[in-house]
Amino acid sequence: MKVIAYWAARTAIFLAVVAVLWLVGWFDIIAVIAAVVLAWLISYLALPGMRRAAQEQMAGVIDRSQRSIREADAEEDQEIGADADDARA
């Protein structure tokens, strides 16, 4: 949930910057590009704790995923070794 909360916070910051630029009178693609840059800067400075928590959560998800892949690879290697032993016998 930390990743979703971080994503939602960054999206809200972006939308707020777009709204401010809209109120100022910027209506073109330059406003959107400026909003991306400004929202990134604001979220980078304002949300370091949320970013760190989201990174830790994603690292855990990736680690669990990689662990299950390694376990499946080890199981497959054992099966291949058993098949090779049966073929030699």
Side-chain angles (χ1 to χ4, degrees):
M1 290 306 262
K2 294 175 184 176
V3 173
I4 295 172
Y6 180 61
W7 173 82
R10 288 193 65 183
T11 301
I13 290 170
F14 171 74
L15 293 175
V17 171
V18 167
V20 168
L21 291 176
W22 184 274
L23 291 173
V24 171
W26 285 27
F27 302 114
D28 55 2
I29 191 69
I30 301 297
V32 174
I33 294 170
V36 167
V37 172
L38 290 172
W40 172 82
L41 179 62
I42 292 168
S43 67
Y44 184 78
L45 296 174
L47 305 174
M50 286 183 77
R51 181 175 52 254
R52 196 172 312 111
Q55 286 174 341
E56 290 171 3
Q57 184 183 20
M58 283 305 299
V61 168
I62 291 169
D63 184 52
R64 285 191 301 275
S65 173
Q66 292 296 321
R67 188 177 331 123
S68 67
I69 291 171
R70 286 190 301 268
E71 289 171 359
D73 285 346
E75 182 180 331
E76 184 177 303
D77 290 344
Q78 287 176 349
E79 290 174 1
I80 290 171
D83 289 344
D85 290 341
D86 289 344
R88 280 185 250 159

